[in-house]
Amino acid sequence: DVYNPQTDTFETFKNDPHDPGSISGNVIRGIAEDKDQNMWIGTWDAGLNRYNRKTGKFTKFTHDEKNPSSISNKTIWNLFIDHNNVLWISIYNIGIDLFDPQKNDVTDRFRYSPENPGSISGKNCWFFFEDNDNKMWICTQNGLDLYDSPTKSFKILHFPDNDIGAFYKDKSGYIWVGSNTKGLFMCNPDGTILKTYDITNILPNNRIHAITQDNNGDIWISSNFGISRLNPKIQSIRSY
C-alpha cells in the first residue's frame, strides 16, 4: 500500500495475471528507493520489481538461467540501496546479490563459504545497515558482518547469540546488536560487548526485531513484547 498524506488515502497494488505492468507478487519482503526516486520491491515468491512513479507501472526482474546477470532466485528476504545507488538484495537461503539499477544487472554476488574467512557469515542476511561513515553492516544467522569494499570481503563479529536480527549504530559511535534469543548488546565499534540487556535485567523480551535512536538519545527497541524505550544514561526502560 502507498499512503497519500494529502488525501489521507491508501493506494493498493496487487498482482494481476492479465496486466504485465502489475506487481509480480503479493507477499512483500523489502522496499527501497533509489536516487532517481524509483521504488524497488522484493517479493517472497516472485522476484524483484521496479515501480515507476510517472507511469505507475512495474518492471519485473527474476532469475533467468540464460542470463548470467539476472538475480539468483525469486525468493527475496530484504533490500537496501547504499550511498552509491547500489541495490543490495538478500536472497533467502542463498546470499547477497548486488544489483545496478542503471544497468538492470547483477554486478556481484556474495556467498557463505566455510573455507573462506572473508566470506559473508551465513546464507541468510536478515538486515542491512549503512552508517554515517558509509560502512555496510549485514546481520545474518551466524553473526554480524562488516563489509570491506576494497577487498570485497567481510569481517565477522560474533556474539553470545549469533542469529542477529537487528542492528543500529548510534550518534556516539556505539553499535547496538539485537539477537533472536539473548536480547540486546551494546558494543564498542569493534564488537566488544559493554552491556547486555535481556529479560534477566530490564528487557521485557529477548527476541529483538528493530533498533533506532531518537533525538533525545533514547534507544527504541521492538521485540516480541512490543516497543520499549531505553535511556542508556540512567539505565531505565519503559515498554509500551
Side-chain angles (χ1 to χ4, degrees):
D1 292 356
V2 177
Y3 175 66
N4 186 328
Q6 296 178 344
T7 61
D8 194 28
T9 58
F10 287 88
E11 182 178 4
T12 300
F13 299 98
K14 292 184 178 181
N15 173 253
D16 181 353
H18 304 292
D19 180 5
S22 70
I23 193 168
S24 64
N26 294 327
V27 183
I28 310 303
R29 284 296 320 171
I31 301 174
E33 183 179 21
D34 67 25
K35 67 178 183 180
D36 297 318
Q37 296 187 321
N38 293 309
M39 299 302 299
W40 294 85
I41 299 99
T43 71
W44 175 247
D45 57 357
L48 179 68
N49 298 260
R50 180 183 62 216
Y51 176 67
N52 187 307
R53 295 175 184 268
K54 295 180 180 179
T55 65
K57 296 295 184 181
F58 292 87
T59 302
K60 305 173 182 65
F61 303 88
T62 189
H63 177 64
D64 182 356
E65 294 183 356
K66 298 179 181 179
N67 179 6
S69 297
S70 68
I71 62 174
S72 299
N73 193 275
K74 66 179 181 179
T75 307
I76 295 174
W77 184 264
N78 207 350
L79 301 176
F80 186 85
I81 294 278
D82 68 17
H83 72 286
N84 289 318
N85 204 44
V86 175
L87 178 62
W88 292 65
I89 308 173
S90 171
I91 308 290
Y92 182 74
N93 214 33
I94 292 179
I96 298 172
D97 286 1
L98 296 190
F99 189 89
D100 186 335
Q102 304 297 320
K103 299 179 180 178
N104 295 329
D105 285 334
V106 171
T107 58
D108 219 332
R109 304 177 202 270
F110 300 123
R111 302 291 184 260
Y112 169 62
S113 173
E115 295 79 20
N116 179 9
S119 74
I120 57 173
S121 60
K123 294 181 179 180
N124 291 313
C125 303
W126 306 132
F127 183 72
F128 299 108
F129 185 92
E130 185 175 34
D131 65 26
N132 291 332
D133 297 319
N134 297 330
K135 294 180 179 179
M136 283 296 299
W137 301 80
I138 298 97
C139 302
T140 83
Q141 82 273 32
N142 292 325
L144 175 66
D145 298 2
L146 176 59
Y147 178 59
D148 182 70
S149 181
T151 62
K152 295 185 178 181
S153 63
F154 297 84
K155 177 185 178 182
I156 304 170
L157 306 180
H158 293 290
F159 300 91
D161 175 14
N162 282 319
D163 193 358
I164 308 301
F167 174 87
Y168 189 80
K169 187 174 182 179
D170 70 19
K171 301 170 185 175
S172 300
Y174 295 111
I175 63 175
W176 297 79
V177 181
S179 72
N180 280 327
T181 64
K182 294 191 177 180
L184 178 69
F185 310 114
M186 177 187 175
C187 312
N188 280 322
D190 63 359
T192 303
I193 297 176
L194 302 175
K195 180 73 175 179
T196 298
Y197 300 93
D198 58 23
I199 57 173
T200 66
N201 42 54
I202 60 175
L203 273 190
N205 188 267
N206 277 349
R207 187 176 181 90
I208 309 303
H209 297 290
I211 310 163
T212 193
Q213 185 178 36
D214 64 23
N215 292 331
N216 296 320
D218 290 344
I219 302 297
W220 290 77
I221 309 135
S222 72
S223 71
N224 277 4
F225 194 80
I227 297 176
S228 301
R229 183 179 64 186
L230 170 67
N231 184 323
K233 294 181 180 179
I234 62 174
Q235 297 294 301
S236 68
I237 194 166
R238 181 178 179 182
S239 297
Y240 303 89

